Amino acid sequence: MWAGDHFCGERVVASFEFEKQSHRRLNPLTGDWVLVSPGRTARPWKGQTETAAPENVPAYDPQCYMCPGNKRASGKHNPNYTGTFVFENDYAALQPGGEAHKENVSGLLVARAEQGNCRVVCFSPRHDLTLAKMSNAELRAVVDVWTEQYQLLGSENGINSVLIFENRGAMMGASNPHPHGQIWANATLPNEPAKEQASFAAYQRQHSSCLLCEYLKIEKERKERIVCENDEFAAVVPFWAVWPFEILVCSRRHMGSMNEFGAEDVRSLSEILHRVTSTYDKVFGVPFPYSMGFHQSPTDGQDHPEWHFHAHFYPPLLRSATIRKFMVGFEMLGTPQRDITPEIAAERLRGLAANRET
Ligand SMILES: [Zn+2]
Ligand SMILES: [Zn+2]
Ligand SMILES: [Zn+2]
């Protein structure tokens, strides 16, 4: 049991009801806190209430720069691909090569040149598919291409971080419904993986064990926040979740990255991604928007025994197909806050995940 500032090893305060009283929870991966205020779910809602516009997405869109055979902004034509397709982002935020440059004015104006690669991965030639609607074989092909790209990009000189992610839905700023994700590879660890890297390493030093392996043990005992699992992966609403229906997908075996994947891992990861995304679509009966991405070992040529492979799903929807959680006010200026507890969210998702008619 847990109480107070640490979620293990402290005395239980019998009178405190976590499902009713406001409290803070620590994210041990980042060191950030989240404020949980279960009492606020009773408050009246006078904000956005309109229903979601139905998505009429065609199987092929002649205007789409990702559909097979179409012309992109760069003037290049996509091949008539039939599976997955990877190309360099025509509006890349990072470019390979360039000069090394550093700027430091009194420790206050600090800048460094950054180089890298930005790629787009089309998951399917079909404009109207989502991960939730793909077959197992199609999803395995997506996991295979991610694995291949992580290895390829990660082995390049000067690429120390490979971040694979997907923004799904207009609400998350995805500019095109064509099923696709992105891969940004660069020289330095981005902020979130850098915070996690420090936490994994500190935990390993202090406990001679892995932060997420130990966390999964607790979740498996409690069963309160596990949504679904298979032989290789588990999906949980993390104890410290910020987004209403946030999910953390962790490998059950300790491994740092897709470089350690065998055929079973590819199969199981595709399976759990399908379970998670199709469960999400059942929450409000609409294709659920989210940002998801994989956090994996840095590709700096060092061993990273402390790192544990995982994926985060951050979906913004809160009360219905159109009512999203906003990170404003106290959350923007103070600490992120949530109303429904992670345990309630997990219970709801678990019920939907168990219902397998997809
Ligand atoms: Zn398309
Ligand atoms: Zn581990
Ligand atoms: Zn992470």
Side-chain angles (χ1 to χ4, degrees):
M1 294 297 287
W2 55 275
D5 281 5
H6 301 279
F7 60 92
C8 62
E10 288 201 4
R11 213 175 288 281
V12 178
V13 180
S15 63
F16 196 88
E17 295 179 280
F18 285 92
E19 69 278 13
K20 290 194 181 145
Q21 293 176 254
S22 296
H23 59 277
R24 290 185 304 147
R25 298 187 185 192
L26 173 69
N27 179 340
L29 282 170
T30 60
D32 295 332
W33 290 85
V34 53
L35 178 63
V36 185
S37 326
R40 274 167 55 92
T41 45
R43 78 190 194 282
W45 177 258
K46 287 188 180 164
Q48 248 180 304
T49 53
E50 77 272 23
T51 51
E55 284 191 17
N56 285 320
V57 182
Y60 167 77
D61 177 355
Q63 305 301 321
C64 169
Y65 66 90
M66 288 182 245
C67 276
N70 290 0
K71 194 169 155 184
R72 300 206 307 273
S74 61
K76 290 184 186 139
H77 283 267
N78 296 329
N80 284 312
Y81 64 98
T82 53
T84 57
F85 170 53
V86 180
F87 61 91
E88 299 288 333
N89 195 320
D90 298 319
Y91 299 100
L94 295 158
Q95 287 87 27
E99 277 173 59
H101 182 75
K102 280 187 184 178
E103 193 109 1
N104 188 338
V105 181
S106 311
L108 295 172
L109 310 184
V110 181
R112 289 177 194 176
E114 183 73 14
Q115 46 181 289
N117 264 298
C118 296
R119 291 185 180 165
V120 177
V121 182
C122 297
F123 299 158
S124 163
R126 281 271 302 272
H127 188 77
D128 59 341
L129 282 190
T130 60
L131 290 184
K133 291 186 200 153
M134 282 178 197
S135 69
N136 290 338
E138 287 168 330
L139 256 166
R140 280 202 297 276
V142 174
V143 176
D144 278 336
V145 82
W146 283 334
T147 306
E148 182 187 285
Q149 289 291 320
Y150 176 81
Q151 286 171 347
L152 271 174
L153 286 163
S155 62
E156 280 183 21
N157 266 343
I159 296 295
N160 300 317
S161 162
V162 178
L163 189 54
I164 298 171
F165 62 96
E166 180 195 9
N167 289 326
R168 215 210 83 76
M171 200 175 263
M172 293 312 282
S175 53
N176 187 327
H178 197 112
H180 71 283
Q182 301 187 53
I183 305 176
W184 291 23
N186 58 311
T188 51
L189 275 189
N191 295 351
E192 294 302 304
K195 283 191 261 182
E196 294 189 355
Q197 170 64 42
S199 301
F200 275 128
Y203 194 93
Q204 182 78 41
R205 273 198 307 277
Q206 284 164 18
H207 303 272
S208 301
S209 59
C210 161
L211 193 163
L212 277 183
C213 283
E214 296 303 315
Y215 173 65
L216 270 189
K217 268 188 215 163
I218 299 172
E219 291 296 7
K220 282 186 74 67
E221 277 167 26
R222 302 265 169 111
K223 299 187 168 62
E224 283 177 297
R225 284 169 295 268
I226 292 192
V227 175
C228 55
E229 54 186 324
N230 58 27
D231 289 346
E232 317 294 337
F233 294 91
V236 301
V237 176
F239 178 76
W240 52 84
V242 166
W243 296 94
F245 295 97
E246 181 173 330
I247 283 181
L248 175 72
V249 174
C250 279
S251 59
R252 294 175 59 174
R253 181 172 98 242
H254 182 75
M255 64 170 142
S257 76
M258 291 172 170
N259 281 348
E260 293 165 57
F261 272 16
E264 266 309 286
D265 300 303
V266 172
R267 192 195 59 75
S268 290
L269 182 61
S270 330
E271 198 264 341
I272 207 155
L273 292 179
H274 182 260
R275 288 279 286 285
V276 167
T277 52
S278 57
T279 297
Y280 273 158
D281 287 358
K282 292 179 202 161
V283 175
F284 297 121
V286 292
F288 216 59
Y290 57 77
S291 263
M292 71 81 78
F294 298 98
H295 279 158
Q296 322 196 49
S297 310
T299 56
D300 54 8
Q302 310 291 310
D303 282 337
H304 285 282
E306 73 284 1
W307 196 275
H308 190 122
F309 175 86
H310 62 279
H312 299 279
F313 277 87
Y314 299 136
L317 289 181
L318 174 60
R319 288 157 186 258
S320 76
T322 57
I323 297 172
R324 60 161 293 164
K325 175 181 178 58
F326 288 102
M327 288 279 199
V328 293
F330 190 78
E331 312 187 292
M332 191 179 261
L333 297 156
T335 297
Q337 179 266 342
R338 64 178 293 132
D339 298 346
I340 64 164
T341 62
E343 294 71 37
I344 300 275
E347 199 181 330
R348 185 151 172 207
L349 291 169
R350 194 161 48 235
L352 295 167
N355 175 7
R356 300 197 61 183
E357 39 62 63
T358 50

